[in-house]
Amino acid sequence: MPDLPALSSATIDAIVGHVGRSTLPFQRSHREEQHATAFWFNELVETTAEGEVIRQYLVTASEPARVEMAEFTLRPNVCAPAMSAEKLMMTDFAEGWTHLGDLGVAVMPSAVLHAHGARKGWRWTTDEITDGIAATEQDIAGLSESPVPAYLLGHIAAGDSSREQAVVVGQITRASNGSIRWVGDLPQGCVGAPVFIGAALSGNSFKLVCVGVTLPADSHHAIAPFDRIRSTLGAFPPDTTSAVDGAGADFRTAKPKRRWWRRRS
């Protein structure tokens, strides 16, 4: 089994290297409130000879998604050509999200975001949390009440407009009732962010796993697990998660298969 410091360092490297461009910071427009993080997720629809057919969403916690007008802070590496403006304003923001039952999670089909970029003459160049990295039932069942090192990829609201991305180190635990908690500091702006673990495999290998979405709570913040997120998404007919303002149906593309684990030398 790999030693914990080496596994921790390699897990952080894998997060930054594989999904560093998957997150977007946002907040209520014109107000210093409801700072949160969203991220891109590719739901696997089917696998064909040409690749994987996916349905793409932006994912965050429900509470910050309920504002009527919001603004995303754009980093130069998430769009091409890089935009001169650092902010992407969205009106009717709350109407664009579908809330996944009582999970505390909201999703926005990405078609509206791709359509906006196309109208303005640019395209998104993001990473995505893929079906291969999102936690399965087996991954979640493998957690216990014993704390496990965990890593949150979010954008801190530090009193200026920069919303720098950070990997926040903490721990997660899974209670006997199945609920998962983040134990440790949760900086302002990181609600809605994805949480990862490095699940050790044989030898010097490990599997990068996105456990779920950080929700607003007290000092032990709840995490909505990805196995429940995916099962809830699968229960929605396609037209209930279609894009808003005439952008069309779900955005789909075919991509070659990827393995989201890393072998350390």
Side-chain angles (χ1 to χ4, degrees), residues 36-103:
T37 298
F39 62 92
W40 299 79
F41 168 58
N42 286 357
E43 179 195 19
L44 179 63
V45 177
E46 63 177 331
T47 300
T48 69
E50 289 74 31
E52 295 176 345
V53 181
I54 59 94
R55 186 162 54 189
Q56 192 176 81
Y57 300 96
L58 202 62
V59 182
T60 192
S62 282
E63 183 178 318
R66 298 186 189 279
V67 301
E68 287 305 312
M69 183 179 294
E71 58 188 36
F72 291 107
T73 300
L74 300 181
R75 292 166 286 155
N77 65 349
V78 300
C79 51
M83 294 179 60
S84 58
E86 295 181 351
K87 304 291 185 181
L88 173 60
M89 196 85 66
M90 293 190 69
T91 59
D92 300 323
F93 185 70
E95 297 177 14
W97 296 89
T98 297
H99 297 269
L100 302 183
D102 61 354
L103 286 180

Side-chain angles (χ1 to χ4, degrees), residues 72-262:
F72 291 107
T73 300
L74 300 181
R75 292 166 286 155
N77 65 349
V78 300
C79 51
M83 294 179 60
S84 58
E86 295 181 351
K87 304 291 185 181
L88 173 60
M89 196 85 66
M90 293 190 69
T91 59
D92 300 323
F93 185 70
E95 297 177 14
W97 296 89
T98 297
H99 297 269
L100 302 183
D102 61 354
L103 286 180
V105 173
V107 299
M108 175 186 290
S110 68
V112 63
L113 299 170
H114 288 285
H116 174 84
R119 289 196 302 269
K120 299 296 184 180
W122 55 272
R123 61 183 176 84
W124 293 96
T125 56
T126 60
D127 299 323
E128 301 86 26
I129 307 299
T130 65
D131 194 78
I133 194 174
T136 64
E137 290 184 12
Q138 291 75 19
D139 293 322
I140 299 301
L143 301 173
S144 69
E145 295 186 30
S146 299
V148 174
Y151 311 87
L152 180 153
L153 185 64
H155 292 266
I156 298 174
D160 56 28
S161 61
S162 61
R163 297 299 303 276
E164 295 291 336
Q165 187 186 65
V167 177
V168 182
V169 180
Q171 296 177 320
I172 59 171
T173 63
R174 180 173 178 264
S176 57
N177 64 2
S179 62
I180 301 175
R181 296 280 180 172
W182 168 266
V183 182
D185 183 38
L186 185 70
Q188 183 183 14
C190 292
V191 165
V195 175
F196 301 86
I197 61 171
L201 302 174
S202 60
N204 287 326
S205 297
F206 71 95
K207 181 174 69 169
L208 184 62
V209 176
C210 183
V211 176
V213 181
T214 308
L215 306 180
D218 53 20
S219 59
H220 293 282
H221 289 255
I223 297 174
F226 237 119
D227 61 334
R228 292 191 61 197
I229 292 170
R230 291 197 294 187
S231 63
T232 305
L233 276 175
F236 278 92
D239 59 351
T240 64
T241 51
S242 60
V244 297
D245 80 354
D250 301 326
F251 176 80
R252 293 173 182 238
T253 186
K255 291 189 175 183
K257 296 179 180 179
R258 298 180 185 177
R259 292 188 298 178
W260 290 94
W261 56 269
R262 189 183 218 183

